[in-house]
Amino acid sequence: MIVNHTSNAADIILEHPTKKDGAAMWELVTKSTLDTNSSYKYILMSEYFNETCVIAKQNDQVIGFITAFIPP
């Protein structure tokens, strides 16, 4: 999970991502030291596997996320 350490925790909202959040998730990863997957991966996770994923938003911007996949 990527966290903005300068944030006030009261201002951060945790929720399941939507398809439109996938692009913001990818953008966040490209600005970090994490391995970058294709943007499609984040859109796929946020659209089809959103029940196992969580995003952190502050001022309507994605500032962190956790993705998970449970095999069928």
Short mmCIF file of all heavy atoms in Angstrom, two decimals:
data_model
loop_
_atom_site.label_atom_id
_atom_site.label_comp_id
_atom_site.label_asym_id
_atom_site.label_seq_id
_atom_site.Cartn_x
_atom_site.Cartn_y
_atom_site.Cartn_z
N MET A 1 0.84 -1.18 0.00
CA MET A 1 0.00 0.00 0.00
C MET A 1 0.88 1.24 0.00
O MET A 1 1.86 1.31 0.71
CB MET A 1 -0.89 -0.01 1.23
CG MET A 1 -1.81 1.15 1.32
SD MET A 1 -2.99 0.90 2.65
CE MET A 1 -3.38 2.55 3.03
N ILE A 2 0.49 2.19 -0.77
CA ILE A 2 1.21 3.46 -0.84
C ILE A 2 0.44 4.43 0.04
O ILE A 2 -0.76 4.56 -0.07
CB ILE A 2 1.27 3.96 -2.28
CG1 ILE A 2 1.94 2.91 -3.18
CG2 ILE A 2 2.01 5.27 -2.36
CD1 ILE A 2 1.74 3.15 -4.63
N VAL A 3 1.19 5.14 0.91
CA VAL A 3 0.52 6.06 1.83
C VAL A 3 1.20 7.41 1.77
O VAL A 3 2.41 7.51 1.71
CB VAL A 3 0.58 5.52 3.28
CG1 VAL A 3 -0.05 6.50 4.24
CG2 VAL A 3 -0.07 4.17 3.38
N ASN A 4 0.41 8.45 1.79
CA ASN A 4 0.93 9.81 1.89
C ASN A 4 1.12 10.10 3.38
O ASN A 4 0.17 10.33 4.10
CB ASN A 4 -0.06 10.79 1.25
CG ASN A 4 0.44 12.20 1.29
OD1 ASN A 4 1.36 12.54 2.03
ND2 ASN A 4 -0.17 13.05 0.49
N HIS A 5 2.36 10.04 3.86
CA HIS A 5 2.64 10.16 5.29
C HIS A 5 2.41 11.55 5.86
O HIS A 5 2.38 11.73 7.06
CB HIS A 5 4.08 9.72 5.59
CG HIS A 5 4.30 8.28 5.32
ND1 HIS A 5 3.79 7.29 6.12
CD2 HIS A 5 4.95 7.65 4.32
CE1 HIS A 5 4.13 6.11 5.64
NE2 HIS A 5 4.83 6.31 4.54
N THR A 6 2.22 12.54 5.03
CA THR A 6 1.99 13.90 5.53
C THR A 6 0.51 14.20 5.71
O THR A 6 0.14 15.28 6.09
CB THR A 6 2.61 14.94 4.58
OG1 THR A 6 1.97 14.83 3.31
CG2 THR A 6 4.10 14.74 4.44
N SER A 7 -0.33 13.22 5.45
CA SER A 7 -1.77 13.43 5.52
C SER A 7 -2.32 13.28 6.92
O SER A 7 -1.80 12.53 7.73
CB SER A 7 -2.49 12.43 4.63
OG SER A 7 -2.09 12.58 3.31
N ASN A 8 -3.40 13.97 7.18
CA ASN A 8 -4.17 13.77 8.39
C ASN A 8 -5.08 12.58 8.13
O ASN A 8 -5.88 12.61 7.20
CB ASN A 8 -4.97 15.04 8.70
CG ASN A 8 -5.80 14.91 9.95
OD1 ASN A 8 -5.89 13.84 10.56
ND2 ASN A 8 -6.42 16.00 10.34
N ALA A 9 -4.99 11.54 8.95
CA ALA A 9 -5.75 10.31 8.71
C ALA A 9 -7.25 10.56 8.65
O ALA A 9 -7.98 9.85 7.98
CB ALA A 9 -5.42 9.28 9.79
N ALA A 10 -7.73 11.59 9.32
CA ALA A 10 -9.17 11.89 9.31
C ALA A 10 -9.64 12.33 7.92
O ALA A 10 -10.82 12.24 7.62
CB ALA A 10 -9.48 12.96 10.34
N ASP A 11 -8.75 12.80 7.08
CA ASP A 11 -9.10 13.28 5.75
C ASP A 11 -9.08 12.18 4.69
O ASP A 11 -9.45 12.42 3.55
CB ASP A 11 -8.13 14.36 5.30
CG ASP A 11 -8.16 15.59 6.19
OD1 ASP A 11 -9.18 15.81 6.86
OD2 ASP A 11 -7.16 16.31 6.21
N ILE A 12 -8.66 10.98 5.04
CA ILE A 12 -8.50 9.90 4.08
C ILE A 12 -9.73 8.99 4.09
O ILE A 12 -10.17 8.56 5.15
CB ILE A 12 -7.22 9.09 4.37
CG1 ILE A 12 -6.00 10.00 4.24
CG2 ILE A 12 -7.13 7.90 3.42
CD1 ILE A 12 -4.71 9.36 4.69
N ILE A 13 -10.26 8.73 2.91
CA ILE A 13 -11.43 7.86 2.76
C ILE A 13 -10.99 6.57 2.10
O ILE A 13 -10.31 6.59 1.07
CB ILE A 13 -12.51 8.55 1.90
CG1 ILE A 13 -13.00 9.82 2.60
CG2 ILE A 13 -13.66 7.60 1.61
CD1 ILE A 13 -13.85 10.70 1.73
N LEU A 14 -11.37 5.43 2.68
CA LEU A 14 -11.09 4.12 2.11
C LEU A 14 -12.35 3.58 1.47
O LEU A 14 -13.42 3.61 2.08
CB LEU A 14 -10.60 3.15 3.18
CG LEU A 14 -9.35 3.57 3.95
CD1 LEU A 14 -9.05 2.57 5.05
CD2 LEU A 14 -8.16 3.73 3.02
N GLU A 15 -12.23 3.09 0.22
CA GLU A 15 -13.39 2.56 -0.48
C GLU A 15 -12.93 1.59 -1.56
O GLU A 15 -11.75 1.53 -1.90
CB GLU A 15 -14.23 3.68 -1.08
CG GLU A 15 -13.48 4.55 -2.07
CD GLU A 15 -14.26 5.79 -2.49
OE1 GLU A 15 -15.22 6.16 -1.80
OE2 GLU A 15 -13.89 6.38 -3.51
N HIS A 16 -13.89 0.83 -2.11
CA HIS A 16 -13.59 -0.04 -3.24
C HIS A 16 -13.44 0.83 -4.48
O HIS A 16 -14.20 1.78 -4.67
CB HIS A 16 -14.69 -1.06 -3.45
CG HIS A 16 -14.80 -2.06 -2.34
ND1 HIS A 16 -13.85 -3.01 -2.09
CD2 HIS A 16 -15.76 -2.24 -1.41
CE1 HIS A 16 -14.22 -3.74 -1.06
NE2 HIS A 16 -15.37 -3.28 -0.61
N PRO A 17 -12.49 0.49 -5.35
CA PRO A 17 -12.29 1.30 -6.56
C PRO A 17 -13.38 1.07 -7.60
O PRO A 17 -14.04 0.03 -7.62
CB PRO A 17 -10.94 0.82 -7.08
CG PRO A 17 -10.83 -0.58 -6.59
CD PRO A 17 -11.52 -0.60 -5.26
N THR A 18 -13.53 2.05 -8.45
CA THR A 18 -14.38 1.94 -9.63
C THR A 18 -13.47 1.88 -10.85
O THR A 18 -12.26 2.14 -10.75
CB THR A 18 -15.34 3.13 -9.75
OG1 THR A 18 -14.56 4.32 -9.94
CG2 THR A 18 -16.23 3.28 -8.53
N LYS A 19 -14.05 1.60 -11.99
CA LYS A 19 -13.26 1.51 -13.22
C LYS A 19 -12.46 2.79 -13.47
O LYS A 19 -11.30 2.75 -13.86
CB LYS A 19 -14.17 1.21 -14.41
CG LYS A 19 -13.45 1.05 -15.71
CD LYS A 19 -14.42 0.73 -16.84
CE LYS A 19 -13.71 0.62 -18.16
NZ LYS A 19 -14.64 0.33 -19.25
N LYS A 20 -13.07 3.94 -13.19
CA LYS A 20 -12.36 5.21 -13.44
C LYS A 20 -11.18 5.41 -12.49
O LYS A 20 -10.26 6.16 -12.81
CB LYS A 20 -13.31 6.40 -13.40
CG LYS A 20 -13.74 6.81 -12.03
CD LYS A 20 -14.54 8.10 -12.08
CE LYS A 20 -14.60 8.64 -10.67
NZ LYS A 20 -14.81 10.03 -10.58
N ASP A 21 -11.16 4.74 -11.35
CA ASP A 21 -10.03 4.84 -10.42
C ASP A 21 -8.81 4.09 -10.93
O ASP A 21 -7.69 4.36 -10.49
CB ASP A 21 -10.42 4.30 -9.04
CG ASP A 21 -11.47 5.15 -8.35
OD1 ASP A 21 -11.38 6.39 -8.43
OD2 ASP A 21 -12.38 4.57 -7.72
N GLY A 22 -9.00 3.14 -11.84
CA GLY A 22 -7.88 2.35 -12.35
C GLY A 22 -6.78 3.19 -12.95
O GLY A 22 -5.59 2.94 -12.72
N ALA A 23 -7.13 4.20 -13.71
CA ALA A 23 -6.12 5.08 -14.33
C ALA A 23 -5.35 5.85 -13.26
O ALA A 23 -4.13 6.01 -13.37
CB ALA A 23 -6.79 6.04 -15.31
N ALA A 24 -6.04 6.30 -12.23
CA ALA A 24 -5.37 7.03 -11.15
C ALA A 24 -4.44 6.10 -10.36
O ALA A 24 -3.36 6.53 -9.92
CB ALA A 24 -6.40 7.66 -10.22
N MET A 25 -4.83 4.84 -10.21
CA MET A 25 -3.97 3.87 -9.54
C MET A 25 -2.68 3.67 -10.33
O MET A 25 -1.58 3.67 -9.78
CB MET A 25 -4.72 2.54 -9.37
CG MET A 25 -5.89 2.63 -8.40
SD MET A 25 -7.10 1.30 -8.54
CE MET A 25 -6.14 -0.14 -8.14
N TRP A 26 -2.82 3.51 -11.65
CA TRP A 26 -1.64 3.34 -12.50
C TRP A 26 -0.74 4.57 -12.45
O TRP A 26 0.47 4.45 -12.35
CB TRP A 26 -2.09 3.06 -13.94
CG TRP A 26 -0.94 2.90 -14.88
CD1 TRP A 26 -0.16 1.79 -15.04
CD2 TRP A 26 -0.44 3.87 -15.79
NE1 TRP A 26 0.80 2.02 -15.99
CE2 TRP A 26 0.65 3.30 -16.47
CE3 TRP A 26 -0.81 5.18 -16.09
CZ2 TRP A 26 1.37 3.98 -17.43
CZ3 TRP A 26 -0.08 5.85 -17.06
CH2 TRP A 26 0.98 5.26 -17.72
N GLU A 27 -1.34 5.73 -12.51
CA GLU A 27 -0.57 6.99 -12.45
C GLU A 27 0.23 7.08 -11.15
O GLU A 27 1.39 7.49 -11.14
CB GLU A 27 -1.53 8.18 -12.57
CG GLU A 27 -0.85 9.51 -12.67
CD GLU A 27 -0.21 9.76 -14.02
OE1 GLU A 27 -0.68 9.22 -15.02
OE2 GLU A 27 0.77 10.53 -14.05
N LEU A 28 -0.38 6.66 -10.05
CA LEU A 28 0.30 6.68 -8.76
C LEU A 28 1.50 5.75 -8.75
O LEU A 28 2.57 6.10 -8.26
CB LEU A 28 -0.70 6.30 -7.66
CG LEU A 28 -0.27 6.48 -6.22
CD1 LEU A 28 0.07 7.94 -5.92
CD2 LEU A 28 -1.38 6.00 -5.30
N VAL A 29 1.35 4.57 -9.33
CA VAL A 29 2.45 3.60 -9.38
C VAL A 29 3.60 4.12 -10.24
O VAL A 29 4.77 3.94 -9.90
CB VAL A 29 1.97 2.23 -9.89
CG1 VAL A 29 3.13 1.30 -10.18
CG2 VAL A 29 1.03 1.59 -8.88
N THR A 30 3.28 4.79 -11.33
CA THR A 30 4.34 5.30 -12.21
C THR A 30 5.18 6.37 -11.53
O THR A 30 6.31 6.63 -11.95
CB THR A 30 3.78 5.86 -13.54
OG1 THR A 30 2.94 6.98 -13.27
CG2 THR A 30 3.03 4.80 -14.31
N LYS A 31 4.65 6.97 -10.47
CA LYS A 31 5.39 8.01 -9.74
C LYS A 31 6.08 7.45 -8.50
O LYS A 31 6.59 8.20 -7.68
CB LYS A 31 4.43 9.12 -9.32
CG LYS A 31 3.83 9.87 -10.49
CD LYS A 31 2.84 10.90 -10.02
CE LYS A 31 2.22 11.60 -11.22
NZ LYS A 31 1.19 12.55 -10.83
N SER A 32 6.10 6.12 -8.37
CA SER A 32 6.70 5.49 -7.19
C SER A 32 7.86 4.60 -7.60
O SER A 32 8.24 4.55 -8.76
CB SER A 32 5.64 4.64 -6.46
OG SER A 32 5.39 3.45 -7.19
N THR A 33 8.39 3.87 -6.64
CA THR A 33 9.48 2.93 -6.91
C THR A 33 8.96 1.51 -7.12
O THR A 33 9.75 0.58 -7.26
CB THR A 33 10.48 2.92 -5.74
OG1 THR A 33 9.79 2.57 -4.54
CG2 THR A 33 11.13 4.28 -5.57
N LEU A 34 7.63 1.33 -7.17
CA LEU A 34 7.05 0.01 -7.39
C LEU A 34 7.22 -0.42 -8.84
O LEU A 34 7.38 0.41 -9.74
CB LEU A 34 5.55 0.04 -7.05
CG LEU A 34 5.19 0.33 -5.61
CD1 LEU A 34 3.68 0.48 -5.46
CD2 LEU A 34 5.70 -0.77 -4.70
N ASP A 35 7.17 -1.73 -9.07
CA ASP A 35 7.19 -2.25 -10.44
C ASP A 35 5.90 -1.82 -11.13
O ASP A 35 4.81 -2.00 -10.59
CB ASP A 35 7.28 -3.77 -10.44
CG ASP A 35 8.64 -4.28 -9.97
OD1 ASP A 35 9.62 -3.52 -10.08
OD2 ASP A 35 8.70 -5.43 -9.52
N THR A 36 6.04 -1.28 -12.32
CA THR A 36 4.89 -0.79 -13.06
C THR A 36 4.29 -1.90 -13.92
O THR A 36 4.99 -2.52 -14.70
CB THR A 36 5.29 0.39 -13.96
OG1 THR A 36 5.90 1.38 -13.16
CG2 THR A 36 4.08 0.98 -14.65
N ASN A 37 3.01 -2.15 -13.75
CA ASN A 37 2.27 -3.03 -14.64
C ASN A 37 1.60 -2.16 -15.69
O ASN A 37 1.64 -0.93 -15.62
CB ASN A 37 1.20 -3.80 -13.86
CG ASN A 37 1.81 -4.82 -12.94
OD1 ASN A 37 2.43 -5.78 -13.39
ND2 ASN A 37 1.66 -4.62 -11.64
N SER A 38 0.95 -2.77 -16.65
CA SER A 38 0.23 -1.99 -17.66
C SER A 38 -0.95 -1.27 -17.01
O SER A 38 -1.48 -1.71 -15.98
CB SER A 38 -0.27 -2.89 -18.79
OG SER A 38 -1.33 -3.69 -18.33
N SER A 39 -1.37 -0.19 -17.61
CA SER A 39 -2.53 0.53 -17.08
C SER A 39 -3.76 -0.37 -17.10
O SER A 39 -4.64 -0.27 -16.24
CB SER A 39 -2.78 1.80 -17.88
OG SER A 39 -2.99 1.50 -19.25
N TYR A 40 -3.80 -1.29 -18.07
CA TYR A 40 -4.93 -2.23 -18.17
C TYR A 40 -5.08 -3.05 -16.90
O TYR A 40 -6.20 -3.34 -16.47
CB TYR A 40 -4.73 -3.14 -19.38
CG TYR A 40 -5.80 -4.20 -19.51
CD1 TYR A 40 -7.09 -3.86 -19.90
CD2 TYR A 40 -5.53 -5.53 -19.22
CE1 TYR A 40 -8.09 -4.82 -20.02
CE2 TYR A 40 -6.51 -6.50 -19.32
CZ TYR A 40 -7.79 -6.14 -19.72
OH TYR A 40 -8.76 -7.09 -19.82
N LYS A 41 -3.98 -3.44 -16.27
CA LYS A 41 -4.03 -4.25 -15.04
C LYS A 41 -4.80 -3.52 -13.96
O LYS A 41 -5.64 -4.10 -13.27
CB LYS A 41 -2.62 -4.58 -14.57
CG LYS A 41 -2.58 -5.49 -13.35
CD LYS A 41 -2.33 -4.72 -12.09
CE LYS A 41 -2.17 -5.69 -10.92
NZ LYS A 41 -2.19 -5.03 -9.64
N TYR A 42 -4.57 -2.25 -13.78
CA TYR A 42 -5.23 -1.49 -12.72
C TYR A 42 -6.71 -1.24 -13.04
O TYR A 42 -7.55 -1.26 -12.15
CB TYR A 42 -4.48 -0.18 -12.45
CG TYR A 42 -3.07 -0.47 -12.03
CD1 TYR A 42 -2.01 -0.37 -12.94
CD2 TYR A 42 -2.79 -0.89 -10.74
CE1 TYR A 42 -0.71 -0.67 -12.56
CE2 TYR A 42 -1.49 -1.19 -10.36
CZ TYR A 42 -0.46 -1.09 -11.27
OH TYR A 42 0.82 -1.41 -10.90
N ILE A 43 -7.01 -1.04 -14.32
CA ILE A 43 -8.41 -0.90 -14.72
C ILE A 43 -9.14 -2.22 -14.54
O ILE A 43 -10.25 -2.26 -14.02
CB ILE A 43 -8.50 -0.39 -16.17
CG1 ILE A 43 -7.95 1.04 -16.26
CG2 ILE A 43 -9.94 -0.46 -16.69
CD1 ILE A 43 -7.73 1.56 -17.65
N LEU A 44 -8.49 -3.32 -14.91
CA LEU A 44 -9.07 -4.65 -14.73
C LEU A 44 -9.34 -4.94 -13.26
O LEU A 44 -10.42 -5.40 -12.90
CB LEU A 44 -8.11 -5.70 -15.31
CG LEU A 44 -8.56 -7.14 -15.21
CD1 LEU A 44 -9.56 -7.44 -16.30
CD2 LEU A 44 -7.35 -8.05 -15.34
N MET A 45 -8.36 -4.66 -12.41
CA MET A 45 -8.52 -4.92 -10.98
C MET A 45 -9.65 -4.06 -10.40
O MET A 45 -10.44 -4.53 -9.59
CB MET A 45 -7.22 -4.66 -10.22
CG MET A 45 -6.09 -5.61 -10.54
SD MET A 45 -6.45 -7.35 -10.17
CE MET A 45 -6.51 -7.32 -8.39
N SER A 46 -9.72 -2.81 -10.80
CA SER A 46 -10.73 -1.93 -10.22
C SER A 46 -12.13 -2.18 -10.76
O SER A 46 -13.11 -1.86 -10.10
CB SER A 46 -10.34 -0.46 -10.42
OG SER A 46 -10.27 -0.13 -11.78
N GLU A 47 -12.22 -2.79 -11.94
CA GLU A 47 -13.54 -3.07 -12.49
C GLU A 47 -14.05 -4.46 -12.13
O GLU A 47 -15.19 -4.62 -11.69
CB GLU A 47 -13.54 -2.92 -14.01
CG GLU A 47 -14.92 -3.13 -14.60
CD GLU A 47 -15.00 -2.82 -16.09
OE1 GLU A 47 -13.95 -2.65 -16.74
OE2 GLU A 47 -16.13 -2.75 -16.59
N TYR A 48 -13.21 -5.48 -12.28
CA TYR A 48 -13.67 -6.85 -12.10
C TYR A 48 -13.33 -7.47 -10.74
O TYR A 48 -13.94 -8.46 -10.35
CB TYR A 48 -13.11 -7.74 -13.21
CG TYR A 48 -13.66 -7.37 -14.56
CD1 TYR A 48 -12.85 -6.74 -15.50
CD2 TYR A 48 -14.99 -7.62 -14.89
CE1 TYR A 48 -13.35 -6.37 -16.73
CE2 TYR A 48 -15.50 -7.25 -16.12
CZ TYR A 48 -14.68 -6.63 -17.04
OH TYR A 48 -15.18 -6.26 -18.25
N PHE A 49 -12.36 -6.92 -10.04
CA PHE A 49 -11.96 -7.47 -8.75
C PHE A 49 -12.01 -6.42 -7.65
O PHE A 49 -11.25 -6.46 -6.68
CB PHE A 49 -10.55 -8.08 -8.85
CG PHE A 49 -10.46 -9.14 -9.92
CD1 PHE A 49 -9.87 -8.85 -11.14
CD2 PHE A 49 -11.00 -10.39 -9.72
CE1 PHE A 49 -9.81 -9.82 -12.13
CE2 PHE A 49 -10.95 -11.37 -10.70
CZ PHE A 49 -10.34 -11.07 -11.92
N ASN A 50 -12.91 -5.45 -7.79
CA ASN A 50 -12.95 -4.32 -6.85
C ASN A 50 -13.36 -4.74 -5.45
O ASN A 50 -13.06 -4.04 -4.48
CB ASN A 50 -13.81 -3.19 -7.38
CG ASN A 50 -15.28 -3.54 -7.45
OD1 ASN A 50 -15.64 -4.71 -7.51
ND2 ASN A 50 -16.11 -2.53 -7.46
N GLU A 51 -14.01 -5.88 -5.29
CA GLU A 51 -14.39 -6.33 -3.94
C GLU A 51 -13.19 -6.78 -3.12
O GLU A 51 -13.27 -6.88 -1.90
CB GLU A 51 -15.43 -7.44 -4.03
CG GLU A 51 -16.79 -6.97 -4.52
CD GLU A 51 -17.43 -5.95 -3.58
OE1 GLU A 51 -17.41 -6.16 -2.36
OE2 GLU A 51 -17.95 -4.93 -4.09
N THR A 52 -12.07 -7.07 -3.78
CA THR A 52 -10.86 -7.47 -3.07
C THR A 52 -9.79 -6.37 -3.12
O THR A 52 -8.63 -6.62 -2.79
CB THR A 52 -10.27 -8.78 -3.64
OG1 THR A 52 -10.00 -8.61 -5.03
CG2 THR A 52 -11.23 -9.94 -3.43
N CYS A 53 -10.19 -5.18 -3.52
CA CYS A 53 -9.26 -4.05 -3.60
C CYS A 53 -9.79 -2.87 -2.78
O CYS A 53 -11.00 -2.74 -2.59
CB CYS A 53 -9.10 -3.59 -5.05
SG CYS A 53 -8.47 -4.87 -6.16
N VAL A 54 -8.89 -2.03 -2.33
CA VAL A 54 -9.25 -0.84 -1.57
C VAL A 54 -8.40 0.32 -2.07
O VAL A 54 -7.20 0.16 -2.32
CB VAL A 54 -8.99 -1.04 -0.05
CG1 VAL A 54 -9.24 0.23 0.72
CG2 VAL A 54 -9.83 -2.17 0.49
N ILE A 55 -9.02 1.48 -2.21
CA ILE A 55 -8.26 2.68 -2.52
C ILE A 55 -8.40 3.67 -1.37
O ILE A 55 -9.39 3.67 -0.64
CB ILE A 55 -8.71 3.35 -3.84
CG1 ILE A 55 -10.18 3.72 -3.80
CG2 ILE A 55 -8.39 2.48 -5.02
CD1 ILE A 55 -10.62 4.58 -4.98
N ALA A 56 -7.38 4.48 -1.22
CA ALA A 56 -7.41 5.57 -0.24
C ALA A 56 -7.50 6.86 -1.04
O ALA A 56 -6.71 7.08 -1.96
CB ALA A 56 -6.15 5.55 0.61
N LYS A 57 -8.49 7.69 -0.70
CA LYS A 57 -8.67 8.97 -1.39
C LYS A 57 -8.60 10.12 -0.40
O LYS A 57 -9.08 10.01 0.73
CB LYS A 57 -10.02 9.03 -2.10
CG LYS A 57 -10.10 8.24 -3.37
CD LYS A 57 -11.41 8.49 -4.08
CE LYS A 57 -11.44 7.84 -5.44
NZ LYS A 57 -12.71 8.10 -6.13
N GLN A 58 -8.03 11.20 -0.87
CA GLN A 58 -7.99 12.45 -0.11
C GLN A 58 -8.31 13.57 -1.09
O GLN A 58 -7.68 13.65 -2.15
CB GLN A 58 -6.63 12.66 0.53
CG GLN A 58 -6.59 13.86 1.45
CD GLN A 58 -5.26 13.96 2.15
OE1 GLN A 58 -4.21 13.81 1.54
NE2 GLN A 58 -5.30 14.19 3.44
N ASN A 59 -9.30 14.36 -0.77
CA ASN A 59 -9.75 15.43 -1.68
C ASN A 59 -10.07 14.87 -3.06
O ASN A 59 -9.69 15.44 -4.08
CB ASN A 59 -8.71 16.55 -1.77
CG ASN A 59 -8.46 17.19 -0.43
OD1 ASN A 59 -9.38 17.36 0.37
ND2 ASN A 59 -7.22 17.53 -0.15
N ASP A 60 -10.73 13.72 -3.10
CA ASP A 60 -11.14 13.04 -4.34
C ASP A 60 -9.98 12.59 -5.22
O ASP A 60 -10.16 12.30 -6.40
CB ASP A 60 -12.10 13.91 -5.16
CG ASP A 60 -13.45 14.05 -4.49
OD1 ASP A 60 -13.91 13.08 -3.86
OD2 ASP A 60 -14.05 15.14 -4.59
N GLN A 61 -8.77 12.51 -4.67
CA GLN A 61 -7.61 12.01 -5.42
C GLN A 61 -7.14 10.71 -4.78
O GLN A 61 -7.07 10.60 -3.55
CB GLN A 61 -6.47 13.01 -5.42
CG GLN A 61 -6.77 14.25 -6.23
CD GLN A 61 -5.54 15.13 -6.38
OE1 GLN A 61 -4.62 15.08 -5.57
NE2 GLN A 61 -5.53 15.93 -7.42
N VAL A 62 -6.79 9.74 -5.63
CA VAL A 62 -6.26 8.47 -5.13
C VAL A 62 -4.84 8.72 -4.61
O VAL A 62 -3.98 9.21 -5.33
CB VAL A 62 -6.25 7.40 -6.25
CG1 VAL A 62 -5.59 6.12 -5.74
CG2 VAL A 62 -7.66 7.12 -6.73
N ILE A 63 -4.63 8.39 -3.33
CA ILE A 63 -3.31 8.58 -2.72
C ILE A 63 -2.68 7.25 -2.29
O ILE A 63 -1.55 7.22 -1.84
CB ILE A 63 -3.37 9.54 -1.52
CG1 ILE A 63 -4.31 9.00 -0.44
CG2 ILE A 63 -3.77 10.94 -1.97
CD1 ILE A 63 -4.18 9.72 0.89
N GLY A 64 -3.44 6.16 -2.43
CA GLY A 64 -2.91 4.85 -2.08
C GLY A 64 -3.92 3.77 -2.44
O GLY A 64 -5.08 4.05 -2.69
N PHE A 65 -3.45 2.53 -2.48
CA PHE A 65 -4.36 1.43 -2.78
C PHE A 65 -3.73 0.09 -2.43
O PHE A 65 -2.51 -0.03 -2.27
CB PHE A 65 -4.78 1.43 -4.25
CG PHE A 65 -3.65 1.20 -5.23
CD1 PHE A 65 -3.30 -0.08 -5.62
CD2 PHE A 65 -2.95 2.27 -5.75
CE1 PHE A 65 -2.27 -0.28 -6.52
CE2 PHE A 65 -1.92 2.08 -6.65
CZ PHE A 65 -1.57 0.79 -7.04
N ILE A 66 -4.61 -0.90 -2.31
CA ILE A 66 -4.21 -2.30 -2.14
C ILE A 66 -5.01 -3.08 -3.17
O ILE A 66 -6.23 -2.91 -3.27
CB ILE A 66 -4.54 -2.83 -0.74
CG1 ILE A 66 -3.83 -2.03 0.34
CG2 ILE A 66 -4.20 -4.31 -0.62
CD1 ILE A 66 -4.31 -2.35 1.76
N THR A 67 -4.35 -3.93 -3.93
CA THR A 67 -5.06 -4.80 -4.86
C THR A 67 -4.85 -6.25 -4.43
O THR A 67 -3.80 -6.60 -3.91
CB THR A 67 -4.59 -4.65 -6.32
OG1 THR A 67 -3.19 -4.94 -6.40
CG2 THR A 67 -4.85 -3.25 -6.85
N ALA A 68 -5.87 -7.05 -4.64
CA ALA A 68 -5.81 -8.47 -4.31
C ALA A 68 -6.64 -9.25 -5.31
O ALA A 68 -7.64 -8.76 -5.83
CB ALA A 68 -6.32 -8.70 -2.90
N PHE A 69 -6.21 -10.46 -5.56
CA PHE A 69 -6.92 -11.35 -6.47
C PHE A 69 -7.08 -12.69 -5.79
O PHE A 69 -6.10 -13.27 -5.32
CB PHE A 69 -6.14 -11.51 -7.78
CG PHE A 69 -6.68 -12.58 -8.68
CD1 PHE A 69 -7.82 -12.36 -9.43
CD2 PHE A 69 -6.06 -13.81 -8.76
CE1 PHE A 69 -8.32 -13.34 -10.26
CE2 PHE A 69 -6.56 -14.80 -9.59
CZ PHE A 69 -7.69 -14.56 -10.33
N ILE A 70 -8.31 -13.17 -5.69
CA ILE A 70 -8.58 -14.49 -5.14
C ILE A 70 -8.94 -15.40 -6.30
O ILE A 70 -9.95 -15.18 -6.97
CB ILE A 70 -9.72 -14.44 -4.11
CG1 ILE A 70 -9.35 -13.50 -2.95
CG2 ILE A 70 -10.05 -15.83 -3.60
CD1 ILE A 70 -10.48 -13.24 -1.97
N PRO A 71 -8.11 -16.40 -6.56
CA PRO A 71 -8.40 -17.28 -7.70
C PRO A 71 -9.72 -18.01 -7.51
O PRO A 71 -10.08 -18.33 -6.39
CB PRO A 71 -7.23 -18.28 -7.71
CG PRO A 71 -6.22 -17.76 -6.76
CD PRO A 71 -6.89 -16.78 -5.87
N PRO A 72 -10.41 -18.28 -8.61
CA PRO A 72 -11.70 -18.99 -8.52
C PRO A 72 -11.50 -20.42 -8.04
O PRO A 72 -10.48 -21.00 -8.13
CB PRO A 72 -12.25 -18.95 -9.94
CG PRO A 72 -11.16 -18.49 -10.82
CD PRO A 72 -10.08 -17.92 -9.97
#
